[in-house]
Amino acid sequence: MVLSQLSGLILVVVGAVLFATALQLYTFWASEAVLFSAKQRFDEKIEMLKRSIPNFSFRRRKAA
């Protein structure tokens, strides 16, 4: 192989590695955003459920 062909091949390989890395980082970021959104919705539903259930206290009260 000629040196110019070899340097072109190296550039293509480096470009492919950078593209794959960027793609992995983007998919990781997107999945984290989806998980965060799902967790927020779950927390909101739990809070609404907690509010709808009356709060019973099972502790003993001191006699006067």
Side-chain angles (χ1 to χ4, degrees):
M1 286 183 90
V2 182
L3 186 62
S4 64
Q5 289 177 336
L6 186 62
S7 64
L9 180 64
I10 289 173
L11 283 176
V12 167
V13 169
V14 168
V17 168
L18 289 176
F19 177 76
T21 303
L23 190 63
Q24 285 179 342
L25 286 173
Y26 176 75
T27 54
F28 173 74
W29 171 79
S31 65
E32 285 292 312
V34 167
L35 285 174
F36 181 74
S37 174
K39 182 183 178 302
Q40 272 187 331
R41 277 186 268 129
F42 180 75
D43 288 344
E44 287 173 2
K45 287 183 181 181
I46 292 296
E47 283 301 317
M48 285 176 29
L49 184 65
K50 283 181 182 177
R51 286 188 211 128
S52 66
I53 297 174
N55 189 9
F56 295 111
S57 178
F58 293 105
R59 291 180 286 172
R60 289 185 169 185
R61 299 183 188 263
K62 292 184 178 179

